[in-house]
Amino acid sequence: MEQVNRDDDILFLIKRLNKLLEADFTKRLDEHGLTIAQGRILFFIWHKTTLSKEEVHQNDIEERFSLSKSTVSGMIDRLVNKNLIKKTTAHRYVNLEVTDS
């Protein structure tokens, strides 16, 4: 019985930590006028292009986040308008990159 209580305590702490991290993440994004979804996409693009040195295309975001083409297109347009990402054309694909801002 002791193990069950300990597992419940750990699960409670993990859930609490998750809520605190999400609240902090939301607060930081709000300061920059971003939604959580935009923040996740921005981080995804940054991670792939900076750390993994991979190209990112719109369909990569669609697949990763299970979003429709029109939803991702709108989010990308808003991030471009905020000068947070830029589009560059390479062959028949549009690459997405995070800007310095």
Side-chain angles (χ1 to χ4, degrees):
M1 194 66 166
E2 179 67 30
Q3 184 65 32
V4 172
N5 289 337
R6 183 174 260 175
D7 289 347
D8 288 344
D9 291 343
I10 291 171
L11 185 60
F12 171 78
L13 291 173
I14 290 171
K15 286 181 179 180
R16 180 69 180 139
L17 179 61
N18 185 53
K19 279 188 174 186
L20 291 171
L21 289 171
E22 189 170 311
D24 183 63
F25 185 56
T26 301
K27 179 183 171 194
R28 290 173 189 263
L29 290 172
D30 283 345
E31 292 171 359
H32 298 285
L34 297 171
T35 65
I36 289 176
Q38 290 171 334
R40 287 182 176 145
I41 288 174
L42 190 61
F43 180 78
F44 175 77
I45 295 169
W46 174 81
H47 183 270
K48 287 289 205 183
T49 58
T50 305
L51 299 181
S52 300
K53 304 294 185 204
E54 297 176 29
E55 292 181 347
V56 176
H57 307 111
Q58 179 172 329
N59 64 335
D60 296 327
I61 297 169
E62 293 166 15
E63 291 173 11
R64 171 66 174 88
F65 295 98
S66 299
L67 296 171
S68 70
K69 184 175 187 167
S70 61
T71 299
V72 174
S73 181
M75 293 174 112
I76 288 171
D77 288 344
R78 284 187 287 282
L79 291 171
V80 167
N81 289 339
K82 291 180 181 190
N83 197 34
L84 295 172
I85 64 172
K86 64 181 177 179
K87 297 179 182 181
T88 56
T89 305
H91 307 293
R92 61 184 189 141
Y93 292 104
V94 174
N95 296 329
L96 303 170
E97 300 175 48
V98 175
T99 63
D100 291 335
S101 10

Coordinates of all heavy atoms in Angstrom, one line a residue, residues 13-78:
L13 N 2.8 15.5 -8.1 CA 3.9 16.4 -8.3 C 4.2 16.7 -9.8 O 4.4 17.8 -10.2 CB 5.1 16.0 -7.6 CG 5.0 16.0 -6.0 CD1 6.3 15.3 -5.4 CD2 4.9 17.4 -5.5
I14 N 4.1 15.7 -10.6 CA 4.4 15.8 -12.0 C 3.3 16.7 -12.6 O 3.6 17.6 -13.4 CB 4.5 14.4 -12.7 CG1 5.8 13.8 -12.3 CG2 4.4 14.6 -14.2 CD1 5.9 12.3 -12.7
K15 N 2.0 16.4 -12.3 CA 0.9 17.2 -12.8 C 1.0 18.7 -12.4 O 0.8 19.6 -13.1 CB -0.4 16.6 -12.3 CG -0.8 15.4 -13.1 CD -2.1 14.9 -12.6 CE -2.6 13.6 -13.3 NZ -3.9 13.1 -12.8
R16 N 1.4 18.9 -11.1 CA 1.6 20.2 -10.6 C 2.7 21.0 -11.3 O 2.5 22.1 -11.7 CB 1.8 20.2 -9.1 CG 2.0 21.5 -8.4 CD 0.7 22.3 -8.4 NE 0.9 23.5 -7.8 CZ 0.4 24.7 -8.2 NH1 -0.4 24.7 -9.2 NH2 0.7 25.8 -7.5
L17 N 3.8 20.3 -11.5 CA 4.9 20.9 -12.2 C 4.5 21.3 -13.6 O 4.9 22.3 -14.1 CB 6.1 19.9 -12.2 CG 7.4 20.4 -12.9 CD1 7.9 21.7 -12.3 CD2 8.4 19.3 -12.9
N18 N 3.8 20.4 -14.3 CA 3.4 20.6 -15.7 C 2.5 21.9 -15.7 O 2.6 22.7 -16.6 CB 2.6 19.4 -16.2 CG 2.2 19.6 -17.6 OD1 3.0 19.9 -18.5 ND2 0.9 19.4 -17.9
K19 N 1.6 22.0 -14.8 CA 0.7 23.2 -14.7 C 1.5 24.5 -14.5 O 1.3 25.5 -15.2 CB -0.3 23.1 -13.6 CG -1.5 22.3 -14.0 CD -2.6 22.4 -12.9 CE -3.8 21.7 -13.4 NZ -4.9 21.8 -12.4
L20 N 2.5 24.4 -13.6 CA 3.4 25.6 -13.4 C 4.2 26.0 -14.6 O 4.3 27.2 -15.0 CB 4.3 25.3 -12.2 CG 3.6 25.3 -10.8 CD1 4.6 24.8 -9.8 CD2 3.0 26.6 -10.4
L21 N 4.8 25.0 -15.3 CA 5.5 25.2 -16.5 C 4.7 25.8 -17.6 O 5.1 26.7 -18.3 CB 6.2 24.0 -17.0 CG 7.4 23.5 -16.1 CD1 7.9 22.1 -16.5 CD2 8.5 24.5 -16.1
E22 N 3.5 25.2 -17.8 CA 2.6 25.7 -18.8 C 2.1 27.2 -18.5 O 2.1 28.0 -19.5 CB 1.4 24.8 -18.9 CG 0.5 25.1 -20.1 CD -0.6 24.1 -20.4 OE1 -0.3 22.9 -20.4 OE2 -1.7 24.5 -20.5
A23 N 1.9 27.5 -17.3 CA 1.5 28.9 -16.9 C 2.7 29.8 -17.2 O 2.4 30.9 -17.7 CB 1.1 28.9 -15.4
D24 N 3.9 29.4 -16.9 CA 5.0 30.3 -17.2 C 5.2 30.4 -18.7 O 5.5 31.5 -19.1 CB 6.3 29.7 -16.5 CG 7.5 30.5 -16.7 OD1 7.5 31.7 -16.2 OD2 8.5 30.1 -17.4
F25 N 5.1 29.4 -19.4 CA 5.2 29.4 -20.9 C 4.2 30.3 -21.5 O 4.5 31.2 -22.3 CB 5.1 28.0 -21.4 CG 5.3 27.8 -22.9 CD1 6.5 28.2 -23.5 CD2 4.3 27.2 -23.7 CE1 6.7 28.0 -24.8 CE2 4.5 27.0 -25.0 CZ 5.7 27.4 -25.6
T26 N 3.0 30.2 -21.0 CA 1.9 31.1 -21.5 C 2.2 32.5 -21.2 O 2.0 33.4 -22.1 CB 0.5 30.6 -20.9 OG1 0.3 29.3 -21.2 CG2 -0.6 31.5 -21.4
K27 N 2.6 32.8 -20.0 CA 2.9 34.2 -19.6 C 4.0 34.8 -20.5 O 3.9 35.9 -21.0 CB 3.4 34.2 -18.2 CG 3.7 35.6 -17.7 CD 4.2 35.6 -16.2 CE 4.8 36.9 -15.8 NZ 5.5 36.9 -14.6
R28 N 5.1 34.0 -20.7 CA 6.2 34.5 -21.6 C 5.7 34.8 -23.0 O 6.1 35.7 -23.7 CB 7.3 33.6 -21.5 CG 8.0 33.5 -20.2 CD 9.1 32.4 -20.2 NE 9.6 32.3 -18.8 CZ 10.8 32.8 -18.4 NH1 11.5 33.5 -19.3 NH2 11.2 32.6 -17.2
L29 N 4.9 33.9 -23.5 CA 4.4 34.0 -24.9 C 3.5 35.3 -25.0 O 3.5 36.0 -26.0 CB 3.6 32.8 -25.3 CG 4.5 31.6 -25.6 CD1 3.6 30.3 -25.9 CD2 5.5 31.8 -26.7
D30 N 2.6 35.5 -24.0 CA 1.7 36.6 -23.9 C 2.5 37.9 -24.0 O 2.0 38.9 -24.7 CB 0.8 36.6 -22.7 CG -0.3 35.6 -22.7 OD1 -0.6 35.1 -23.8 OD2 -0.9 35.3 -21.7
E31 N 3.6 38.0 -23.4 CA 4.5 39.2 -23.4 C 4.9 39.5 -24.8 O 5.2 40.7 -25.1 CB 5.7 39.0 -22.5 CG 5.4 38.9 -21.0 CD 6.6 38.5 -20.2 OE1 7.7 38.3 -20.7 OE2 6.4 38.4 -18.9
H32 N 4.9 38.5 -25.7 CA 5.4 38.7 -27.1 C 4.2 38.7 -28.1 O 4.4 38.6 -29.3 CB 6.4 37.7 -27.5 CG 7.7 37.8 -26.7 ND1 8.6 38.8 -26.8 CD2 8.1 37.1 -25.6 CE1 9.6 38.7 -26.0 NE2 9.3 37.6 -25.2
G33 N 3.0 38.6 -27.5 CA 1.8 38.5 -28.4 C 1.6 37.3 -29.1 O 1.1 37.3 -30.2
L34 N 2.1 36.1 -28.5 CA 2.0 34.8 -29.2 C 1.0 33.9 -28.5 O 0.9 34.0 -27.2 CB 3.4 34.2 -29.2 CG 4.4 34.9 -30.1 CD1 5.8 34.2 -29.8 CD2 4.1 34.9 -31.5
T35 N 0.4 33.0 -29.2 CA -0.4 32.0 -28.6 C 0.5 30.8 -28.3 O 1.6 30.7 -28.7 CB -1.5 31.5 -29.5 OG1 -0.9 30.9 -30.7 CG2 -2.4 32.7 -30.0
I36 N 0.0 29.8 -27.5 CA 0.7 28.6 -27.2 C 1.1 27.9 -28.5 O 2.2 27.4 -28.7 CB 0.0 27.7 -26.2 CG1 0.0 28.4 -24.8 CG2 0.6 26.3 -26.1 CD1 -0.9 27.7 -23.8
A37 N 0.1 27.7 -29.4 CA 0.3 27.0 -30.6 C 1.4 27.7 -31.5 O 2.3 27.0 -32.0 CB -1.0 27.0 -31.4
Q38 N 1.4 29.0 -31.5 CA 2.4 29.7 -32.3 C 3.8 29.5 -31.6 O 4.8 29.3 -32.3 CB 2.1 31.2 -32.3 CG 1.0 31.6 -33.2 CD 0.5 33.0 -33.1 OE1 0.8 33.7 -32.1 NE2 -0.1 33.5 -34.1
G39 N 3.8 29.5 -30.3 CA 5.1 29.3 -29.6 C 5.6 27.9 -29.8 O 6.8 27.7 -30.0
R40 N 4.8 26.9 -29.9 CA 5.2 25.5 -30.1 C 5.8 25.4 -31.5 O 6.8 24.8 -31.8 CB 4.1 24.6 -29.9 CG 3.7 24.4 -28.4 CD 2.6 23.4 -28.2 NE 2.5 23.2 -26.8 CZ 1.3 23.0 -26.2 NH1 0.2 22.9 -26.9 NH2 1.2 22.8 -24.9
I41 N 5.1 26.0 -32.5 CA 5.6 26.0 -33.9 C 6.9 26.7 -34.0 O 7.8 26.2 -34.7 CB 4.5 26.5 -34.8 CG1 3.4 25.5 -34.9 CG2 5.1 26.8 -36.2 CD1 2.2 25.9 -35.7
L42 N 7.0 27.9 -33.4 CA 8.2 28.6 -33.4 C 9.4 27.8 -32.8 O 10.5 27.8 -33.4 CB 8.0 29.9 -32.7 CG 9.1 31.0 -32.8 CD1 9.3 31.4 -34.2 CD2 8.8 32.2 -31.9
F43 N 9.1 27.2 -31.7 CA 10.2 26.4 -31.1 C 10.5 25.2 -32.0 O 11.7 24.8 -32.1 CB 9.7 25.9 -29.7 CG 10.7 25.0 -29.0 CD1 11.8 25.6 -28.4 CD2 10.6 23.6 -29.0 CE1 12.8 24.8 -27.8 CE2 11.6 22.8 -28.5 CZ 12.7 23.4 -27.8
F44 N 9.5 24.5 -32.6 CA 9.8 23.4 -33.5 C 10.7 23.8 -34.6 O 11.7 23.1 -35.0 CB 8.4 22.9 -34.0 CG 8.6 21.8 -35.0 CD1 8.9 20.5 -34.7 CD2 8.4 22.1 -36.4 CE1 9.0 19.5 -35.6 CE2 8.5 21.0 -37.3 CZ 8.8 19.8 -36.9
I45 N 10.4 25.0 -35.3 CA 11.2 25.5 -36.4 C 12.6 25.8 -35.9 O 13.6 25.4 -36.5 CB 10.5 26.7 -37.0 CG1 9.2 26.3 -37.7 CG2 11.5 27.3 -38.1 CD1 8.4 27.5 -38.1
W46 N 12.7 26.4 -34.8 CA 14.0 26.8 -34.2 C 14.8 25.5 -33.9 O 16.0 25.4 -34.3 CB 13.9 27.6 -33.0 CG 15.2 27.9 -32.3 CD1 16.1 28.8 -32.6 CD2 15.7 27.1 -31.2 NE1 17.2 28.7 -31.8 CE2 17.0 27.7 -30.9 CE3 15.3 26.0 -30.5 CZ2 17.8 27.2 -29.9 CZ3 16.1 25.5 -29.5 CH2 17.3 26.1 -29.2
H47 N 14.2 24.6 -33.3 CA 14.9 23.3 -32.9 C 15.4 22.6 -34.1 O 16.6 22.2 -34.2 CB 14.0 22.4 -32.1 CG 14.7 21.2 -31.6 ND1 14.7 20.0 -32.3 CD2 15.4 20.9 -30.5 CE1 15.3 19.1 -31.7 NE2 15.8 19.6 -30.5
K48 N 14.5 22.4 -35.1 CA 14.9 21.7 -36.3 C 16.0 22.4 -37.1 O 16.9 21.8 -37.6 CB 13.7 21.5 -37.2 CG 12.7 20.5 -36.7 CD 13.3 19.1 -36.8 CE 12.2 18.1 -36.9 NZ 12.8 16.7 -37.0
T49 N 15.9 23.7 -37.3 CA 16.9 24.4 -38.1 C 18.2 24.8 -37.4 O 19.2 24.7 -38.0 CB 16.3 25.7 -38.6 OG1 15.8 26.6 -37.6 CG2 15.1 25.5 -39.6
T50 N 18.1 25.0 -36.1 CA 19.3 25.4 -35.4 C 20.0 24.2 -34.8 O 21.2 24.1 -35.0 CB 18.9 26.4 -34.2 OG1 18.2 27.5 -34.8 CG2 20.2 26.9 -33.5
L51 N 19.3 23.4 -34.0 CA 20.0 22.3 -33.4 C 20.2 21.1 -34.3 O 21.2 20.4 -34.3 CB 19.2 21.9 -32.1 CG 19.1 22.9 -31.0 CD1 18.3 22.4 -29.9 CD2 20.4 23.4 -30.6
S52 N 19.2 20.7 -35.0 CA 19.2 19.5 -35.9 C 19.8 19.8 -37.3 O 20.1 18.9 -38.1 CB 17.9 18.9 -36.0 OG 17.4 18.5 -34.8
K53 N 19.9 21.1 -37.6 CA 20.4 21.6 -38.9 C 19.6 21.0 -40.1 O 20.1 20.5 -41.1 CB 21.9 21.2 -39.1 CG 22.8 21.7 -38.0 CD 22.9 23.3 -38.1 CE 23.9 23.7 -37.1 NZ 23.6 25.1 -36.6
E54 N 18.3 20.9 -39.9 CA 17.4 20.4 -40.9 C 16.5 21.5 -41.5 O 16.3 22.5 -40.9 CB 16.5 19.3 -40.3 CG 17.1 18.1 -39.8 CD 16.2 17.2 -39.1 OE1 15.0 17.1 -39.5 OE2 16.6 16.5 -38.2
E55 N 16.1 21.3 -42.7 CA 15.1 22.2 -43.3 C 13.7 21.9 -42.8 O 13.4 20.8 -42.5 CB 15.1 22.1 -44.8 CG 16.4 22.6 -45.5 CD 16.3 22.4 -47.0 OE1 15.4 21.8 -47.5 OE2 17.2 23.0 -47.7
V56 N 12.9 23.0 -42.6 CA 11.5 22.8 -42.2 C 10.6 23.3 -43.3 O 10.8 24.5 -43.7 CB 11.3 23.5 -40.8 CG1 9.8 23.4 -40.4 CG2 12.2 23.0 -39.8
H57 N 9.6 22.5 -43.6 CA 8.6 22.9 -44.6 C 7.3 22.9 -43.9 O 7.1 22.3 -42.8 CB 8.6 22.0 -45.8 CG 9.9 21.8 -46.4 ND1 10.6 20.6 -46.3 CD2 10.7 22.7 -47.1 CE1 11.8 20.8 -46.9 NE2 11.9 22.0 -47.4
Q58 N 6.3 23.5 -44.5 CA 4.9 23.6 -43.9 C 4.4 22.2 -43.6 O 3.8 22.0 -42.6 CB 4.0 24.3 -44.8 CG 2.6 24.4 -44.2 CD 1.7 25.3 -45.0 OE1 2.1 26.3 -45.6 NE2 0.4 25.0 -45.0
N59 N 4.6 21.2 -44.5 CA 4.1 19.9 -44.3 C 4.7 19.2 -43.1 O 4.1 18.3 -42.5 CB 4.1 19.0 -45.6 CG 5.5 18.8 -46.0 OD1 6.5 19.5 -45.7 ND2 5.7 17.7 -46.7
D60 N 5.9 19.6 -42.7 CA 6.5 19.0 -41.5 C 5.7 19.4 -40.3 O 5.5 18.6 -39.4 CB 8.0 19.5 -41.4 CG 8.9 19.1 -42.5 OD1 8.7 18.0 -43.0 OD2 9.8 19.8 -42.8
I61 N 5.3 20.7 -40.3 CA 4.5 21.2 -39.1 C 3.1 20.5 -39.1 O 2.6 20.1 -38.1 CB 4.4 22.7 -39.2 CG1 5.8 23.4 -39.1 CG2 3.5 23.3 -38.1 CD1 5.8 24.8 -39.4
E62 N 2.5 20.4 -40.3 CA 1.2 19.7 -40.4 C 1.3 18.3 -39.8 O 0.4 17.9 -39.1 CB 0.8 19.7 -41.9 CG 0.5 21.0 -42.5 CD 0.4 21.0 -44.0 OE1 0.3 19.9 -44.6 OE2 0.4 22.0 -44.7
E63 N 2.3 17.6 -40.2 CA 2.5 16.2 -39.7 C 2.8 16.1 -38.3 O 2.2 15.3 -37.5 CB 3.5 15.5 -40.5 CG 3.2 15.2 -42.0 CD 4.3 14.7 -42.8 OE1 5.4 14.3 -42.2 OE2 4.2 14.6 -44.0
R64 N 3.7 17.0 -37.8 CA 4.1 16.9 -36.4 C 3.0 17.2 -35.4 O 2.9 16.6 -34.4 CB 5.3 17.9 -36.2 CG 5.8 18.1 -34.8 CD 6.3 16.8 -34.2 NE 6.8 17.0 -32.9 CZ 6.1 16.9 -31.7 NH1 4.9 16.6 -31.8 NH2 6.7 17.1 -30.6
F65 N 2.2 18.2 -35.8 CA 1.2 18.7 -34.9 C -0.2 18.3 -35.3 O -1.2 18.7 -34.6 CB 1.2 20.2 -34.8 CG 2.5 20.8 -34.2 CD1 3.5 21.2 -35.0 CD2 2.7 20.8 -32.8 CE1 4.7 21.7 -34.4 CE2 3.8 21.2 -32.2 CZ 4.9 21.7 -33.0
S66 N -0.3 17.5 -36.3 CA -1.6 17.0 -36.8 C -2.6 18.1 -37.0 O -3.8 18.1 -36.6 CB -2.2 16.0 -35.8 OG -1.4 14.8 -35.7
L67 N -2.2 19.1 -37.8 CA -3.0 20.3 -38.1 C -3.2 20.3 -39.6 O -2.4 19.8 -40.4 CB -2.2 21.6 -37.7 CG -2.0 21.7 -36.2 CD1 -1.1 22.9 -36.0 CD2 -3.3 21.9 -35.5
S68 N -4.3 21.0 -40.0 CA -4.6 21.1 -41.4 C -3.7 22.1 -42.1 O -3.1 22.9 -41.5 CB -6.1 21.5 -41.6 OG -6.2 22.9 -41.2
K69 N -3.7 22.0 -43.4 CA -2.8 22.8 -44.2 C -3.2 24.3 -44.0 O -2.4 25.2 -43.8 CB -2.9 22.4 -45.7 CG -2.0 23.2 -46.6 CD -2.1 22.7 -48.0 CE -1.0 23.4 -48.8 NZ -0.9 22.7 -50.1
S70 N -4.5 24.6 -44.0 CA -5.0 26.0 -43.8 C -4.7 26.5 -42.5 O -4.3 27.7 -42.3 CB -6.5 26.1 -44.1 OG -7.2 25.3 -43.2
T71 N -4.8 25.7 -41.4 CA -4.4 26.2 -40.1 C -3.0 26.5 -40.0 O -2.6 27.6 -39.5 CB -4.8 25.1 -39.0 OG1 -6.2 24.8 -39.1 CG2 -4.4 25.5 -37.6
V72 N -2.1 25.7 -40.5 CA -0.7 25.9 -40.4 C -0.3 27.1 -41.3 O 0.5 28.0 -40.9 CB 0.1 24.7 -40.9 CG1 1.6 25.0 -41.0 CG2 -0.1 23.5 -39.9
S73 N -0.9 27.2 -42.4 CA -0.7 28.4 -43.3 C -1.0 29.7 -42.6 O -0.2 30.6 -42.7 CB -1.5 28.2 -44.6 OG -1.2 29.3 -45.5
G74 N -2.1 29.7 -41.9 CA -2.5 30.9 -41.2 C -1.5 31.3 -40.1 O -1.1 32.4 -39.9
M75 N -1.1 30.2 -39.4 CA -0.1 30.4 -38.3 C 1.2 30.9 -38.8 O 1.8 31.8 -38.2 CB 0.1 29.2 -37.5 CG -1.2 28.8 -36.7 SD -0.9 27.2 -36.0 CE -0.9 27.6 -34.3
I76 N 1.7 30.3 -39.9 CA 2.9 30.8 -40.5 C 2.8 32.2 -41.0 O 3.7 33.0 -40.7 CB 3.3 29.8 -41.7 CG1 3.7 28.5 -41.1 CG2 4.4 30.4 -42.5 CD1 3.9 27.4 -42.2
D77 N 1.7 32.6 -41.6 CA 1.5 33.9 -42.1 C 1.6 34.9 -40.9 O 2.2 36.0 -41.0 CB 0.2 34.1 -42.8 CG 0.2 33.4 -44.2 OD1 1.3 33.1 -44.7 OD2 -0.9 33.2 -44.8
R78 N 1.0 34.6 -39.8 CA 1.0 35.5 -38.6 C 2.4 35.6 -38.1 O 2.9 36.7 -37.7 CB 0.0 35.0 -37.6 CG -1.4 35.3 -37.9 CD -2.4 35.0 -36.8 NE -2.6 33.6 -36.6 CZ -3.4 32.8 -37.3 NH1 -4.0 33.4 -38.4 NH2 -3.6 31.6 -37.1

